[in-house]
């Protein structure tokens, strides 16, 4: 019996659920990088970066090739870059909606919620 698609999707998104992995994918969306180039940008120890790259490799999201003594990484599929762009667009919309709600809450000083216990009255 094959694994249901929703489970495969959940595993895929779990793979993306780490800030270092997201940052690596963002960097690789711009261009191929050697591990040494990513270290400064990602800001983690080499062993930790290698561990996260291995997770991305096993998931099929990045590929590696040796160039002399360096290993260069690239996105295995350009769709990953598109996914990151879509996520940014969604997140921008969500945050804009939250900022608008916060502004509404801050400007609405006349409502019944102002009489909450522990909130000082405004003259």
């Amino acid at each position: 019996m094959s694994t249901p698609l929703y489970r495969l999707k959940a595993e895929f998104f779990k793979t993306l659920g780490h800030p270092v992995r997201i940052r690596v994918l963002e960097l690789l969306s711009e261009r191929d990088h050697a591990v040494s180039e990513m270290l400064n940008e990602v800001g983690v120890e080499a062993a930790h970066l290698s561990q996260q790259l291995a997770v991305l490799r096993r998931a099929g999201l990045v590929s590696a090739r040796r160039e002399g003594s360096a290993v260069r990484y690239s996105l295995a599929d350009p769709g990953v870059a598109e996914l990151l762009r879509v996520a940014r667009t969604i997140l921008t919309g969500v945050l804009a909606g939250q900022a608008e709600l916060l502004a509404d809450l801050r400007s609405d000083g006349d409502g019944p919620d102002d009489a909450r216990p522990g909130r000082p009255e405004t003259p």
Side-chain angles (χ1 to χ4, degrees), residues 105 108 111-121:
L105 288 171
D108 185 16
D113 288 342
D114 288 347
R116 288 192 306 254
R119 183 171 177 168
E121 291 186 28

Side-chain angles (χ1 to χ4, degrees), residues 13 82-97:
F13 282 106
E82 181 62 23
L83 177 64
L84 292 172
R85 281 190 290 278
V86 169
R88 183 184 189 100
T89 300
I90 292 168
L91 187 56
T92 300
V94 168
L95 292 175

Side-chain angles (χ1 to χ4, degrees), residues 9-50:
K9 286 179 182 178
E11 286 300 315
F12 174 78
F13 282 106
K14 271 198 244 180
T15 300
L16 297 177
H18 193 286
V20 170
R21 291 182 216 143
I22 293 295
R23 184 64 185 129
V24 165
L25 293 173
E26 288 173 341
L27 291 171
L28 296 177
S29 293
E30 298 167 6
R31 63 177 176 83
D32 296 358
H33 281 77
V35 174
S36 59
E37 295 172 323
M38 286 189 277
L39 278 172
N40 291 335
E41 294 287 334
V42 177
V44 296
E45 297 292 325
H48 187 61
L49 179 58
S50 291

Side-chain angles (χ1 to χ4, degrees), residues 59-73:
L61 296 175
V62 300
S63 56
R65 70 180 182 285
R66 185 164 291 283
E67 288 183 1
S69 63
V71 177
R72 293 193 70 80
Y73 283 85

